[in-house]
Amino acid sequence: MDGMIAMLPAPLQQLSSHIDFQGQKVAERTYQVILTLAGIIGFFVGYSTQQLSYAMYTVMGAAVFTALIILPPWPFLFRKNPIVWQTPIEEQEASSSSDNEKKDKKKETKKTK
Amino acid sequence: MHNLLSRANSLLAFTLWVMAAVTAACFLSTVFLDYTVSNHLEVNDIKIRNVRDYATDDKQADLATLAFNLKVDFSRLFNWNVKQLFVYLVAEYKSAGNAVNQVVIWDRIVERAERVVMDEIGVKTKYYFLDDGAHLLKHDNVTFVLRYNVIPNAGYLRLVQSTNQLVVPFPTTYTTTRRS
């Protein structure tokens, strides 16, 4: 994915498609429900028209429809529970030197992640 | 699922699963159907010649030529899981040399359509009807059987035999002219 982003023109590289965890859960449930329903409906469409191709078109059409819903990172659907990160240590006020040492050790452990 | 490509991957994989399930359901909805049809077959103008079988053992063998009329209505067989039929006509007989002889003398692919009726008149054999030896002359009962493969969209290749067969006695003298 990073390689593909590097190929985009410069303004587009700033766009991100991340969604929060609750959004990921909603997205997965959405495509599961829509596509399963499409499979069932597609079977009956195919059976009544006696054309297997019609059943497949139903499923593929539903997949395209679902892609429009879940692929873009819609903020009103998938970014309603943003992840709350800890504030970085550098922003905290420095008090005593011993605290600074502890913070240095913390910084180093964080860097070796 | 945290980026677009990951979501697209999950969506595509699930879509393929659903399509596989629909295909399996299509197969199950057609597997127990009855695919037999009857046929109307007439065989005319049978001539037997005694020729040298140059392709195998260079001995004299019986070569039969014939024409047939075949009328079959296949419309009932086609459903959403049938792509086409492979229909063939077999001549079966017993001979002094072999307990079972089966010679395919003609075949045809029949594709799906709204109404499929085969009404062939005066059809010549597509393949040589060459006996393994010289046992066709005076043969009392050569049986002509119509069989067909039902070629599905999903599932196994089914072989069906048509309900009626035709038993034909073969000529008692050889034809010596070249004209068939």
Side-chain angles (χ1 to χ4, degrees):
Chain A
M1 181 94 171
D2 293 339
M4 286 171 59
I5 291 172
M7 287 194 285
L8 289 174
L12 291 177
Q13 289 187 19
Q14 303 304 317
L15 295 175
S16 74
S17 63
H18 72 83
I19 58 178
D20 56 52
F21 293 127
Q22 186 60 28
Q24 291 176 30
K25 188 176 165 184
V26 170
E28 183 150 358
R29 178 65 55 190
T30 302
Y31 77 66
Q32 285 172 342
V33 168
I34 293 181
L35 284 182
T36 306
L37 283 176
I40 294 169
I41 293 171
F43 172 80
F44 287 111
V45 166
Y47 187 79
S48 63
T49 60
Q50 286 290 307
Q51 295 280 1
L52 185 59
S53 50
Y54 288 11
M56 292 303 158
Y57 296 152
T58 312
V59 174
M60 289 192 275
V64 170
F65 170 70
T66 310
L68 292 173
I69 297 176
I70 68 159
L71 289 188
W74 302 115
F76 48 90
L77 286 175
F78 304 124
R79 285 183 177 174
K80 292 205 288 209
N81 300 78
I83 301 162
V84 178
W85 297 104
Q86 298 272 359
T87 50
I89 293 175
E90 291 92 323
E91 289 177 2
Q92 290 175 6
E93 284 187 74
S95 49
S96 61
S97 58
S98 60
D99 283 348
N100 283 344
E101 282 171 9
K102 281 187 198 166
K103 285 168 206 162
D104 285 341
K105 283 183 190 159
K106 272 194 190 170
K107 267 193 222 170
E108 281 169 22
T109 51
K110 270 200 176 176
K111 275 177 195 166
T112 54
K113 177 184 90 159
Chain B
M1 300 288 289
H2 59 91
N3 64 12
L4 188 133
L5 206 60
S6 169
R7 291 195 291 279
N9 180 29
S10 303
L11 176 63
L12 178 66
F14 196 77
T15 304
L16 293 178
W17 266 112
V18 171
M19 297 211 291
V22 171
T23 307
C26 170
F27 163 70
L28 286 175
S29 74
T30 59
V31 66
F32 296 117
L33 297 176
D34 177 32
Y35 286 93
T36 47
V37 286
S38 64
N39 67 79
H40 184 78
L41 176 65
E42 291 161 6
V43 174
N44 314 308
D45 205 20
I46 306 172
K47 296 196 177 93
I48 311 182
R49 293 179 176 79
N50 199 236
V51 298
R52 177 178 237 142
D53 183 7
Y54 62 87
T56 56
D57 52 12
D58 242 7
K59 298 200 176 75
Q60 295 294 108
D62 283 352
L63 175 70
T65 55
L66 52 93
F68 61 91
N69 303 340
L70 180 60
K71 184 164 178 160
V72 197
D73 187 353
F74 288 115
S75 310
R76 185 180 89 70
L77 296 181
F78 287 96
N79 54 52
W80 64 322
N81 199 22
V82 177
K83 180 179 182 242
Q84 60 195 21
L85 305 174
F86 180 79
V87 187
Y88 58 97
L89 190 62
V90 192
E92 293 186 353
Y93 57 99
K94 194 164 150 31
S95 71
N98 305 307
V100 177
N101 298 279
Q102 292 172 320
V103 185
V104 177
I105 55 174
W106 174 90
D107 55 35
R108 171 97 173 261
I109 291 176
V110 177
E111 287 171 343
R112 188 179 181 195
E114 268 304 309
R115 182 175 170 271
V116 187
V117 176
M118 182 188 290
D119 192 2
E120 303 275 347
I121 297 175
V123 185
K124 297 234 178 58
T125 60
K126 203 168 172 186
Y127 308 110
Y128 286 123
F129 188 167
L130 187 70
D131 184 36
D132 178 25
H135 308 114
L136 281 177
L137 195 65
K138 300 193 188 87
H139 202 292
D140 288 334
N141 41 13
V142 176
T143 310
F144 289 90
V145 186
L146 187 74
R147 295 195 181 105
Y148 42 97
N149 282 116
V150 180
I151 295 162
N153 286 320
Y156 65 95
L157 193 68
R158 182 194 296 260
L159 182 61
V160 186
Q161 181 164 311
S162 187
T163 53
N164 42 327
Q165 307 176 347
L166 183 66
V167 179
V168 175
F170 262 38
T172 52
T173 52
Y174 284 128
T175 311
T176 49
T177 61
R178 281 181 180 242
R179 274 189 125 200
S180 57

